[in-house]
Amino acid sequence: IQPGNGRYHYDNFVGTVGVSDLAGTLTFTSGGDRPKLDGNLPSAQLRLADLGPLIGADTSDQQSATVDAAPKDKLLPSDTFNTDRWNAMDADVTFDGKKVVQDAGLPIAGLSTHIVMNNARLTLDPLGVGLANGKLNGKVVLDARKTPMIGTVDVRARGLGLKQLFPKVESMQASFGEINGDIILNATGQSVAGLMANSDGDVMLLMNDGAISKELMELAGLNVGNFVVTKLFGDKQVNIECAAANFGVTDGLMTTRLAVFDTDNATIDIGGSINFKNEQIDLS
């Protein structure tokens, strides 16, 4: 080992971070422009809150068990990514989380990715997330070499269960069907909310051969009278022949190119926009 230029191995270790377990092998190399961490980290159990320090989130006991929280009147998390020290060290680490411990409303089953940090540029490629009995696969890049940070997302969703996506919504529990989709976004910002508010790209969704609660359909159409009748005399399924949506996103404004919901009772066409800057929906 030369002064300022060493190589250290931590082989076959087993440990915990919060309630998450980690194992594997790590190699730390000092010297050069920045030190570097290489390794392989399998995990049998992962709690998402334990990843909080990676993005600068407060994970003290006073905080809830979520990695990143949104304001009470907002949906998107607004806590800023702590990128000040991203250029202190490079990394090339493979992570494989078999089981994810999370809130009941977040139907994530597993998380695996190849993490590369190179001079404050973080890449997750490939990124695999088990979600709602299906899978998200793709690539995420967060480049903190500029302010605001530059982010790119290219994700494909396959086989997401309609019912499993909304585990806390009672009226969705009688639903079935699978959702597939593609999301391609380029954005700038220092938080999830900031990135979405300044994003450009495309969002495409498709569902075939499913079913949804008639009660939910009546509420969606504001058919209050029919909803009351449904509550009095019982709910039933409405078969979904096809549902498809194609959205364009420009400067945080997502507008419909095509959005149609075809059931055995009716065909519903949707038009309008979703504004991620003020988190307001304007759809007809």
Side-chain angles (χ1 to χ4, degrees):
I1 300 176
Q2 298 178 353
N5 188 11
R7 188 177 178 86
Y8 307 89
H9 294 275
Y10 192 25
D11 297 325
N12 302 317
F13 70 87
V14 177
T16 59
V17 178
V19 300
S20 304
D21 68 82
L22 289 175
T25 298
L26 292 173
T27 300
F28 179 79
T29 305
S30 61
D33 295 333
R34 290 171 301 279
K36 185 178 180 182
L37 182 70
D38 295 272
N40 179 31
L41 296 175
S43 173
Q45 177 174 286
L46 169 69
R47 185 181 69 164
L48 294 182
D50 295 331
L51 300 179
L54 295 177
I55 60 172
D58 187 348
T59 56
S60 63
D61 293 339
Q62 288 75 25
Q63 295 293 316
S64 63
T66 57
V67 175
D68 199 1
K72 291 183 179 180
D73 61 339
K74 299 292 183 180
L75 176 66
L76 298 174
S78 60
D79 287 354
T80 59
F81 290 90
N82 185 1
T83 60
D84 294 342
R85 294 180 293 174
W86 280 22
N87 63 353
M89 181 177 69
D90 291 342
D92 189 331
V93 177
T94 300
F95 176 81
D96 186 13
K98 299 295 184 184
K99 177 183 177 182
V100 176
V101 179
Q102 80 289 332
D103 179 84
L106 191 63
I108 296 177
L111 172 66
S112 62
T113 187
H114 179 203
I115 306 167
V116 175
M117 179 73 81
N118 183 19
N119 190 22
R121 185 177 188 268
L122 176 65
T123 302
L124 307 178
D125 182 24
L127 171 65
V129 181
L131 178 67
N133 286 4
K135 192 78 173 181
L136 294 180
N137 290 295
K139 175 181 180 179
V140 175
V141 178
L142 298 175
D143 191 344
R145 291 175 294 186
K146 295 183 178 181
T147 303
M149 181 171 61
I150 300 173
T152 61
V153 175
D154 187 349
V155 175
R156 295 162 299 284
R158 297 295 181 266
L160 306 188
L162 182 60
K163 175 175 67 176
Q164 289 80 7
L165 274 175
F166 306 95
K168 289 187 174 182
V169 181
E170 182 180 351
S171 56
M172 291 294 292
Q173 298 314 298
S175 304
F176 64 88
E178 291 184 349
I179 297 176
N180 302 300
D182 296 324
I183 301 173
I184 302 173
L185 294 174
N186 298 297
T188 58
Q190 293 300 114
S191 65
V192 173
L195 287 165
M196 291 302 298
N198 298 282
S199 58
D200 299 286
D202 299 279
V203 177
M204 291 159 282
L205 300 171
L206 177 66
M207 182 173 68
N208 286 315
D209 301 326
I212 196 169
S213 162
K214 182 181 180 183
E215 174 184 317
L216 192 65
M217 287 289 293
E218 302 293 4
L219 277 178
L222 298 181
N223 298 319
V224 179
N226 288 349
F227 172 71
V228 172
V229 172
T230 298
K231 294 296 286 184
L232 288 174
F233 298 101
D235 200 3
K236 67 177 183 179
Q237 298 281 55
V238 174
N239 292 324
I240 300 171
E241 304 295 339
C242 178
N246 186 338
F247 299 92
V249 184
T250 303
D251 194 26
L253 184 66
M254 185 166 76
T255 55
T256 57
R257 295 180 180 131
L258 166 72
V260 61
F261 200 82
D262 188 18
T263 76
D264 55 5
N265 285 4
T267 298
I268 303 169
D269 292 297
I270 303 170
S273 64
I274 299 173
N275 192 328
F276 290 110
K277 289 186 183 295
N278 55 23
E279 298 193 26
Q280 293 185 354
I281 297 174
D282 181 16
L283 296 174
S284 59

